[in-house]
Amino acid sequence: MRRRSRHEADQAEINITPMLDIVFIMLIFFIVTTSFVKEVAIDVSRPSNQPQKTERLSEVIAIHILDTGEIMLQQRIIDIRAVRASIETALAAKPNANIVVIANRKADAGLLVRVIDQARIAGADKVSLAAEAI
Amino acid sequence: MARKHATIDEETEINVTPMLDVVFIMLIFFIVTTSFVRETGIDVRRPDAQTATSQDRGNILIAISDAGEIWMHKKKIELVDVRGMVESAVKETPESSAIIVADTASQSGVLIDLMDQVRLGGVARISIAARAK
C-alpha cells in the first residue's frame, strides 16, 4: 500500500528538464549579448536654428575656433592652454553668461571638444555649440 | 533486491533547486542589464576630455570618421538618412539619447550638421564621445 502511494507521487512530479534547457539557453544568450561598455562623453547643447529668443551679446561669452585651428576669445587669439584661464576671467566678469563655442566648419572636431572641455573645467555648466555662418 | 536498488537511486539524486535559484537570478540580472546598443562599425580616435562623464542611456551611436563619413549600425550612411534612422530608433525606445563619436581629425562642420539632423529626428539629448583622461 505504501509502496503504491509513493509510486503515484513519483508520477505527479513535474518534469522540469525542458524548462531548465530553455532557461539555460536564455541565460547563455543574455550573457553573450550583454555588453557592459559605457560610452564616455561630454554633454553639449546645440541651439536650434529657429530663433527662440535673441540673446544679447553682452550675456554671451563667445569662443571662436578659426579654420587654422586658432582659438579667438574677445578678439584675441589665445593658446589652447590659456582657454581655461581666459574663460574663468570672463566668467568672473559676467557670472550668468552663457558660453558659446562658434566653430569654423573646417576646424577639427578634436579641438572643438578640447575647447568645450576647457570651458567646462573653467566652471561653465552649459556650453553651447554653433557653426560659423558660411 | 530490485527495491533496494531503487532506494539507492533516490538517495543519490542531486537536488537542483539551489542551482535553479542561482540560474534564475543570473537570468533576470542579464535580462535587466542588457541594452541592445548597436555599434557604429568603425573605430575612431576619440578626443581627450577631462570632464567626460559616463553616459547611461546613450543608445543611439553615430560615428564620424576622419574622412567625414558617417557610420551608424555598421553601415556607412549619408547625412540625409540620419534623420529617418534616428526617428525609427526613437520609435523603438522613446527615452533615447544620442552619442556622436567624432574622430579627432574630423571636421566640426560635419559634427554640427549631424547634431542638427539628430535634433530634427527628435532626440534632444546629444553628447559627444570622448576619452576620459
Side-chain angles (χ1 to χ4, degrees), chain A residues 39 46 104-105 107 109 117, chain B residues 46 50-51 106 108 113 119 130:
Chain A
E39 277 294 336
R46 171 87 179 101
N104 186 288
R105 298 185 60 85
D117 186 44
Chain B
R46 281 148 225 254
Q50 288 171 37
T51 56
S106 65
S108 53
D113 286 343
R119 274 179 65 97

Side-chain angles (χ1 to χ4, degrees), chain A residues 83-99:
Chain A
V83 167
R84 179 180 161 188
S86 305
I87 292 170
E88 273 171 358
T89 320
L91 270 178
K94 294 183 271 184
N96 293 321
N98 291 317
I99 290 182

Side-chain angles (χ1 to χ4, degrees), chain A residues 72-130:
Chain A
M72 200 163 76
L73 180 74
Q74 293 160 343
Q75 319 303 326
R76 280 185 297 123
I77 287 177
I78 54 173
D79 194 77
I80 178 77
R81 285 161 294 187
V83 167
R84 179 180 161 188
S86 305
I87 292 170
E88 273 171 358
T89 320
L91 270 178
K94 294 183 271 184
N96 293 321
N98 291 317
I99 290 182
V100 183
V101 179
I102 303 166
N104 186 288
R105 298 185 60 85
K106 287 202 173 70
D108 278 357
L111 183 67
L112 178 67
V113 170
R114 278 175 74 189
V115 170
I116 295 170
D117 186 44
Q118 292 297 315
R120 282 165 59 100
I121 296 169
D125 46 291
K126 199 91 176 160
V127 181
S128 302
L129 181 58

